[in-house]
């Protein structure tokens, strides 16, 4: 026969004795009913044993009971010795159980200690969480201020680059004009040695002009001023024109240069000037990092309505773990003051930004001392998605 418990009574989660439902504490063992119920609900059950006692959730309970004057040091030592003896006999018990079995503490007192200690630990945990939240909020605010400051510094840097680059254009224009006059004989005949020296000066001027233009373009994109004049572009004609311009440089460096273009290539929709600049930059890089006797090739193919332009070389290559670094502005893998290869470190940063503005991605495959392959794909004109204009 099952005995029915009155509706206004419940069983204590710890001692199991009936107590009034509205009571805050068990009238028999004194435990906090709400805390004991919550902890009992979360008890972990082992496969072949009873639920883990609440005491298992409380660390260093013996020391706490000594601090509270509930037991003495000798009581704790006796309980620990008894606990070890039981373990040797194959009966693993908790410290509280040892104290109970030795009669050093009552069940009611032990339950009260455990509940109080758990409440204290919970309060400490809540306070630690609140402190952690405050620290996270403070750190987040500090990072936000740092990001704002960094953004402002980047804008200042871009403005400085733009201003100084435009200022450099004026004297460079005068230098270029007089070099052209000298080379054309407008200022009188030149000796063979003077002609050769003039050739060196003109190549240096061309290089300087290109670096200044890179700085200007980079400053524009850094400020969000990169705009595209999108139209249909015959990519095969563009590649051929750029290849013709690159062949003299390849020959002077003793590098085999070639192009592979399919017949009847459909047009793509892009900014011709900027995509031309990208391809020219990739070709220039390939020639710069390829030694005499090496090869550089530009290959174009079409597949699934995508036109892919690839620039390949047999040069020094890039370590796999450092490929992403080459797209960082003002960064060069060979960063020493005595580096072998010159440049501002802006070219590939600009390449990526222009290609991404077209809704595409630059892809790189490279191996040290085996060469590199840079490629990107553009959709044919009738399949082209909307790009940044």
């Amino acid at each position: 026969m099952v005995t029915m418990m009155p509706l206004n009574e419940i069983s204590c989660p710890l001692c199991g004795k009936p107590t009034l439902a509205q009571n805050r504490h068990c009238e028999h063992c004194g435990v906090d009913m709400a805390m004991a119920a919550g902890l009992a609900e979360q008890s972990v059950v082992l496969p072949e044993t009873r639920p883990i006692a609440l005491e298992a959730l409380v660390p260093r309970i013996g020391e706490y009971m000594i601090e509270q004057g509930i037991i003495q040091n000798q009581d704790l030592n006796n309980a620990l010795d008894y606990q070890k003896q039981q373990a040797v006999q194959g009966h693993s018990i908790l410290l509280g159980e040892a104290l109970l079995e030795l009669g050093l503490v009552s069940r009611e007192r032990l339950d009260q200690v455990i509940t109080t200690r758990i409440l204290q630990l919970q309060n400490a945990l809540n306070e630690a969480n609140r402190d952690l939240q405050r620290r996270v909020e403070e750190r987040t605010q500090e990072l936000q201020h740092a990001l704002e400051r960094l953004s402002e510094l980047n804008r200042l840097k871009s403005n400085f680059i733009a201003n100084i680059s435009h200022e450099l254009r004026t004297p460079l224009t005068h230098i270029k004009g007089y070099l052209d006059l000298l080379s054309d004989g407008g200022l009188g005949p030149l000796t063979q040695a003077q002609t050769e020296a003039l050739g060196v000066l003109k190549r240096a001027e061309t290089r300087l002009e290109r670096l200044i233009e890179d700085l200007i373009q980079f400053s524009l994109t850094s400020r969000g001023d990169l705009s595209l004049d999108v139209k249909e572009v015959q990519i095969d004609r563009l590649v051929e024109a750029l290849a013709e311009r690159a062949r003299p440089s390849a020959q002077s460096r003793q590098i085999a240069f070639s192009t592979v273009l399919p017949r009847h290539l459909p047009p793509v929709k892009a900014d011709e000037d900027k995509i031309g600049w990208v391809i020219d930059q990739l070709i220039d890089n390939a020639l710069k990092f390829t030694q005499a006797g090496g090869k550089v090739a530009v290959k174009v193919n079409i597949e699934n309505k995508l036109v892919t332009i690839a620039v390949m070389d047999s040069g020094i290559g890039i370590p796999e773990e450092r490929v992403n670094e080459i797209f960082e502005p003002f960064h060069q893998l060979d960063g020493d003051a005595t580096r072998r290869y010159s440049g501002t470190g802006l070219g590939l940063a600009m390449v990526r930004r222009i290609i991404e503005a077209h809704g595409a991605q630059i892809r790189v495959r490279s191996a040290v001392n085996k060469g590199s392959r840079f490629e990107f794909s553009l959709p044919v004109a009738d399949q082209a998605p909307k790009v940044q204009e």
Side-chain angles (χ1 to χ4, degrees), residues 119-137:
L119 286 172
Q120 291 174 344
L121 293 173
Q122 184 181 37
N123 290 335
L125 178 61
N126 290 337
E127 180 60 31
N129 286 337
R130 287 191 292 269
D131 182 62
L132 178 61
Q133 183 177 358
R134 286 194 298 269
R135 291 171 62 188
V136 169
E137 291 174 353

Side-chain angles (χ1 to χ4, degrees), residues 167-298:
E167 289 297 326
L168 289 172
R169 267 183 168 175
T170 301
L172 187 63
T173 300
H174 295 313
I175 293 172
K176 183 178 181 180
Y178 279 105
L179 288 176
D180 289 339
L181 282 174
L182 286 170
S183 61
D184 293 340
L187 298 179
L190 301 175
T191 65
Q192 181 64 31
Q194 290 172 332
T195 301
E196 293 175 358
L198 185 60
V200 174
L201 290 173
K202 292 192 68 173
R203 287 193 295 272
E205 183 278 329
T206 299
R207 179 63 177 167
L208 182 58
E209 185 177 21
R210 186 167 183 171
L211 291 176
I212 292 173
E213 186 62 30
D214 289 352
L215 286 171
I216 293 173
Q217 291 297 326
F218 178 77
S219 66
L220 292 175
T221 60
S222 296
R223 294 182 299 181
D225 294 337
L226 177 62
S227 59
L228 301 180
D229 180 16
V230 179
K231 56 187 177 182
E232 290 190 359
V233 178
Q234 291 292 340
I235 204 71
D236 49 352
R237 297 178 185 173
L238 179 60
V239 169
E240 277 294 358
L242 295 170
E244 283 301 314
R245 194 166 71 182
R247 283 192 174 96
S249 177
Q251 290 174 359
S252 67
R253 301 177 189 214
Q254 300 178 5
I255 296 172
F257 183 82
S258 62
T259 58
V260 180
L261 301 170
R263 298 179 60 187
H264 310 300
L265 191 67
V268 299
K269 201 164 187 179
D271 184 313
E272 184 169 7
D273 289 339
K274 288 186 172 59
I275 287 296
W277 183 91
V278 164
I279 298 172
D280 190 43
Q281 182 71 36
L282 293 177
I283 293 173
D284 183 66
N285 272 4
L287 293 173
K288 180 166 66 174
F289 294 107
T290 301
Q291 297 176 342
K295 299 178 181 180
V296 172
V298 182

